[in-house]
Amino acid sequence: MRTTLKTIAKATGFSINTVSRVLRNDTRISNETSVLIKSKAEELGYIPDALASSMRNPRTKTIGVISADLSNPFFSEVIKGIEEKAEESGYQMLMGNNEESEEKEKHLVKLFLSRKVEGFIIMPSHGKGSSLYDFYAALPVPYIFAGRYIDGLENHSVLHNDEEGEKSVFEYLLSAGHRNILYLSGPEHISNTFDRDMGMRKAYENHSIAPDSRYIFHLPGHPEDGYQAVNTAINKGLPFTAIACFNDILAMGAMKSLQENDLSVPRDVEVIGYDNLLFSQFMQPSLSTVDVPKHRLGYVAMEILENHINNPDLDFRTENLPVRLIFRDSTQER
Amino acid sequence: MRTTLKTIAKATGFSINTVSRVLRNDTRISNETSVLIKSKAEELGYIPDALASSMRNPRTKTIGVISADLSNPFFSEVIKGIEEKAEESGYQMLMGNNEESEEKEKHLVKLFLSRKVEGFIIMPSHGKGSSLYDFYAALPVPYIFAGRYIDGLENHSVLHNDEEGEKSVFEYLLSAGHRNILYLSGPEHISNTFDRDMGMRKAYENHSIAPDSRYIFHLPGHPEDGYQAVNTAINKGLPFTAIACFNDILAMGAMKSLQENDLSVPRDVEVIGYDNLLFSQFMQPSLSTVDVPKHRLGYVAMEILENHINNPDLDFRTENLPVRLIFRDSTQER
DNA sequence: GTGAAAGCGCTAACAG
DNA sequence: CTGTTAGCGCTTTCAC
């Protein structure tokens, strides 16, 4: 039989209640009693039943974290940030993977709700034209979207200024004189793609140039996609002198294609990634990229969530973290 | 007020019990009743309280997953494998990070136990000379160590044949004629380092050569460590023609140093990594490495854990997954 | 087929 | 300072 408060109560002669109070460090308990009960609890290997406790005390100290893909290094950095703050605040994480499916995401949220999580941090699978607007709007607990947003629920998001980030990339490339820039963009159903495309367009506008749609690829974002896209461009005879990528992983694939085609980076082609993943500084040549504060994104999301948990009436508002273009060896400028 | 079984019972005129039965798809319920109650539950937005349910029904369908570092791409692949099988089996994951500390690990295990997890998958922070032997040996639920083991609890582990893996690396290098091989090994407190060092030694033995301790570095395993170690070797004037690394991340740093020192890979120096992380095939030159079945490791660990949860009397036994040396462009052989 | 009653382990409210 | 009582939401046992 598992040791419960009852076991300890019987063993010490006190009431269950007193034992409970001692173990929660409640006031108004004599020191002797406290010491006695605590040592007995230790002796019996008492493990509190957090589930039973949550039945009376609604604070489960648990949050739900749902990401698109646990194995993606971008998300895992974010999750680490979440974990760090959660741990500091005494929260535990229930984790799941939406596998880029809205159905799966909804299912997980329900499951976690059933487990009485006090709030959610979600990296939603779909943002633009999400079918989950109503679902989220009706959620009984606070929720924060990290790194992405859902149309109409922008105020629940912590973002990293995607528009500015991509704009700075194209400002650099256009100012450097490039006129044939391959743009390996992201999947169209997420907000990041939308915002970065917007940044790209604004940069073109500033230079009074119309972007050429033949140069824009919307890709899932894996290394092979970048590799294929660049191969395709080369085979089609599409001339280009620069490549802007939606993420470092695409850039990795793109560089591979360039190398195989004997195009030198940055002499023949300048390449810029996005995200600043750890490995990007170790590539050959090292990758110029937009630094996204991944760890901080997660940390801040948890900070905000906790704030909302503790202050249910607080209004939600969008938080937008700054990004920064970092020059390394894959660009002329350094 | 939250919708409970009671709410639905009141609304339909049935007893709480009947409602509970219907919602659990228990037998002996008339079809009419079932349909009526289910539609009412849907209408009222009923969310089952999994915590209350667990009080009577000990199956919480939750496991605890503790890893050394969520942001490490190796672990995140493993975790994805765990997640996949867990999801298939209807399990949820409570996740935490031991930050390479045994104290933190123990604390997390207790916390999760309190949450009534049915079992654990752990990537322990320390293996050789762990102080947690007694603690684990007394755990009231099944537990599996993934990728590492703790002395004396080897039978609780799913491993990837570390000794064989490193042996194959050194067999290749020694057979290719290398006699000055830099070995950037891992931290001494984990089992992987111990086993791989053993593999290295056996390979040397096969060739009747004594390994030179000046060539062996035990490092934490970050890119900077590899970078520094190779710089140090070069500055000391230590001659070498090959580098074997404990992981791809170290290899990444090592290659950077080589490139800065105008040493050509693989012409001047052959480099071999370990783990076969995604990015290793996209490095320049692409990295020869030992492929570790990371995803499978997690998947199998969860399979085994589930088996033990369902069959408490089952004996634990070590599972050892095969690894394979993959030749790419950082070695002469391809 | 359905209901009444008991109880999982804990905490809160009240009493003394 | 400590004990008694009630009840969180659910499932189980035993009736009918």
Side-chain angles (χ1 to χ4, degrees):
Chain A
M1 246 288 290
R2 200 177 152 124
T3 304
T4 69
L5 293 187
K6 198 175 177 181
T7 326
I8 302 172
K10 280 226 177 85
T12 56
F14 287 97
S15 73
I16 292 177
N17 190 321
T18 301
V19 177
S20 168
R21 281 212 198 84
V22 167
L23 266 20
R24 276 178 295 128
N25 293 315
D26 202 312
T27 47
R28 303 181 307 169
I29 295 284
S30 84
N31 198 36
E32 291 172 66
T33 313
S34 174
V35 169
L36 174 67
I37 289 180
K38 278 187 176 163
S39 78
K40 200 68 184 179
E42 173 74 13
E43 181 192 328
L44 295 174
Y46 174 66
I47 299 167
D49 184 332
L51 270 39
S53 161
S54 311
M55 290 207 62
R56 297 302 318 248
N57 178 355
R59 303 297 301 261
T60 57
K61 281 289 185 179
T62 308
I63 60 157
V65 176
I66 299 174
S67 90
D69 178 357
L70 292 177
S71 69
N72 180 315
F74 182 89
F75 293 123
S76 54
E77 282 273 359
V78 176
I79 290 170
K80 190 167 186 201
I82 298 172
E83 201 271 341
E84 203 165 303
K85 175 62 186 156
E87 137 80 15
E88 282 174 30
S89 306
Y91 274 83
Q92 257 125 88
M93 310 189 301
L94 225 28
M95 285 243 325
N97 197 320
N98 62 26
E99 282 159 29
E100 304 283 359
S101 139
E102 292 204 88
E103 268 323 297
K104 181 89 196 296
E105 188 173 310
K106 189 172 173 180
H107 176 71
L108 276 172
V109 170
K110 283 186 182 170
L111 232 43
F112 288 179
L113 230 31
S114 207
R115 290 285 210 293
K116 299 266 200 68
V117 296
E118 293 186 51
F120 285 96
I121 296 179
I122 298 172
M123 289 147 249
S125 65
H126 291 57
K128 303 312 282 184
S130 168
S131 65
L132 259 35
Y133 173 85
D134 290 339
F135 178 70
Y136 279 122
L139 266 202
V141 295
Y143 54 99
I144 303 289
F145 300 119
R148 296 176 177 181
Y149 60 84
I150 282 189
D151 280 334
L153 296 171
E154 291 82 357
N155 54 342
H156 282 264
S157 286
V158 186
L159 303 173
H160 35 79
N161 214 321
D162 277 317
E163 188 179 313
E164 269 313 308
E166 200 65 70
K167 187 158 158 252
S168 68
V169 169
F170 275 87
E171 281 291 351
Y172 163 73
L173 291 174
L174 290 168
S175 298
H178 292 284
R179 287 303 175 264
N180 295 312
I181 307 168
L182 230 44
Y183 178 36
L184 311 189
S185 187
E188 292 181 275
H189 58 79
I190 57 174
S191 63
N192 315 82
T193 302
F194 186 85
D195 290 353
R196 292 188 201 167
D197 286 7
M198 183 65 82
M200 175 267 298
R201 280 172 212 292
K202 290 213 171 153
Y204 271 110
E205 241 170 59
N206 282 353
H207 289 256
S208 308
I209 303 172
D212 181 339
S213 65
R214 291 174 307 156
Y215 281 81
I216 302 174
F217 297 74
H218 284 104
L219 308 166
H222 305 116
E224 311 81 68
D225 303 326
Y227 179 76
Q228 292 292 350
V230 175
N231 275 348
T232 304
I234 291 173
N235 292 339
K236 271 196 197 156
L238 203 64
F240 61 88
T241 57
I243 307 179
C245 302
F246 182 76
N247 63 34
D248 290 352
I249 296 182
L250 280 170
M252 194 158 78
M255 297 249 268
K256 182 171 181 179
S257 167
L258 293 176
Q259 257 127 1
E260 287 182 8
N261 286 282
D262 288 323
L263 289 164
S264 156
V265 177
R267 214 189 51 229
D268 302 329
V269 179
E270 294 195 69
V271 177
I272 303 183
Y274 211 109
D275 287 350
N276 191 23
L277 298 182
L278 177 67
F279 70 78
S280 64
Q281 57 186 298
F282 290 96
M283 290 171 65
Q284 272 309 316
S286 61
L287 184 65
S288 296
T289 187
V290 176
D291 178 55
V292 176
K294 302 166 283 297
H295 183 277
R296 183 152 176 73
L297 181 69
Y299 193 93
V300 168
M302 183 61 210
E303 260 180 353
I304 296 178
L305 179 61
E306 194 189 358
N307 206 355
H308 282 283
I309 289 172
N310 294 330
N311 308 289
D313 296 331
L314 211 63
D315 282 339
F316 284 88
R317 57 183 214 77
T318 313
E319 182 81 26
N320 217 341
L321 306 179
V323 292
R324 193 169 55 90
L325 177 54
I326 297 179
F327 290 105
R328 296 207 186 96
D329 297 345
S330 67
T331 42
Q332 305 275 355
E333 176 149 345
R334 300 216 36 194
Chain B
M1 246 287 290
R2 200 177 152 126
T3 303
T4 69
L5 292 187
K6 199 175 178 182
T7 326
I8 302 172
K10 280 224 177 87
T12 57
F14 286 97
S15 72
I16 292 178
N17 190 328
T18 302
V19 177
S20 169
R21 280 213 198 86
V22 168
L23 267 18
R24 276 179 292 129
N25 293 314
D26 203 312
T27 46
R28 301 181 310 167
I29 296 284
S30 82
N31 199 37
E32 289 172 66
T33 313
S34 173
V35 169
L36 175 67
I37 289 180
K38 278 186 176 163
S39 77
K40 200 68 184 176
E42 173 75 14
E43 182 191 328
L44 295 174
Y46 173 67
I47 298 167
D49 184 332
L51 270 40
S53 160
S54 311
M55 290 208 60
R56 299 300 317 251
N57 178 354
R59 302 297 299 261
T60 57
K61 282 289 185 177
T62 308
I63 60 156
V65 176
I66 298 174
S67 91
D69 177 0
L70 292 177
S71 69
N72 181 315
F74 182 90
F75 294 124
S76 55
E77 282 273 358
V78 176
I79 290 171
K80 189 165 185 201
I82 297 173
E83 201 273 340
E84 201 165 304
K85 176 62 185 158
E87 137 80 14
E88 283 174 29
S89 306
Y91 275 84
Q92 258 123 87
M93 311 189 302
L94 226 29
M95 286 239 327
N97 196 320
N98 61 27
E99 281 159 28
E100 305 283 358
S101 140
E102 291 202 272
E103 267 324 295
K104 180 89 197 298
E105 187 173 312
K106 190 172 173 180
H107 176 71
L108 276 173
V109 170
K110 283 184 181 169
L111 231 41
F112 288 178
L113 229 32
S114 201
R115 289 284 209 293
K116 301 263 199 69
V117 296
E118 293 186 51
F120 285 96
I121 296 178
I122 297 172
M123 289 147 250
S125 65
H126 291 57
K128 303 312 282 185
S130 169
S131 65
L132 259 35
Y133 173 86
D134 289 340
F135 178 71
Y136 279 123
L139 266 202
V141 296
Y143 54 98
I144 304 289
F145 299 120
R148 297 176 175 180
Y149 59 83
I150 282 189
D151 280 335
L153 296 170
E154 291 82 357
N155 54 343
H156 281 264
S157 286
V158 186
L159 303 172
H160 36 80
N161 213 320
D162 278 316
E163 186 178 315
E164 269 312 309
E166 200 66 71
K167 185 156 160 251
S168 68
V169 168
F170 277 85
E171 281 291 352
Y172 163 72
L173 291 174
L174 291 169
S175 298
H178 292 283
R179 287 302 174 266
N180 295 313
I181 307 168
L182 229 45
Y183 179 35
L184 311 189
S185 187
E188 293 181 276
H189 58 78
I190 58 174
S191 64
N192 314 82
T193 301
F194 185 86
D195 289 353
R196 291 188 201 167
D197 286 6
M198 182 65 84
M200 176 266 299
R201 281 173 211 291
K202 290 213 171 149
Y204 273 109
E205 239 170 61
N206 282 353
H207 289 257
S208 309
I209 303 173
D212 181 339
S213 64
R214 290 174 308 154
Y215 281 82
I216 301 174
F217 297 74
H218 283 105
L219 308 165
H222 305 117
E224 310 81 66
D225 304 326
Y227 179 76
Q228 292 293 351
V230 175
N231 275 348
T232 305
I234 291 173
N235 293 338
K236 271 196 199 157
L238 203 65
F240 61 88
T241 57
I243 308 179
C245 302
F246 182 76
N247 63 33
D248 290 352
I249 296 182
L250 280 171
M252 195 158 75
M255 297 250 267
K256 182 174 180 174
S257 167
L258 294 176
Q259 259 128 1
E260 287 181 8
N261 286 282
D262 287 323
L263 289 164
S264 155
V265 177
R267 215 190 50 230
D268 301 329
V269 180
E270 293 196 70
V271 177
I272 302 183
Y274 212 110
D275 287 351
N276 191 23
L277 299 182
L278 177 66
F279 71 77
S280 65
Q281 57 186 297
F282 289 96
M283 290 171 65
Q284 277 305 321
S286 61
L287 184 66
S288 295
T289 187
V290 176
D291 178 56
V292 176
K294 301 166 284 297
H295 183 277
R296 185 155 173 71
L297 181 68
Y299 194 93
V300 168
M302 182 62 211
E303 262 180 353
I304 296 176
L305 179 60
E306 193 188 359
N307 206 357
H308 282 281
I309 289 173
N310 294 329
N311 308 288
D313 297 331
L314 211 61
D315 282 339
F316 284 88
R317 57 184 214 74
T318 312
E319 181 81 26
N320 218 340
L321 305 178
V323 293
R324 192 169 54 91
L325 177 54
I326 297 179
F327 291 106
R328 296 209 186 96
D329 297 346
S330 68
T331 43
Q332 305 275 356
E333 176 147 346
R334 303 221 31 202

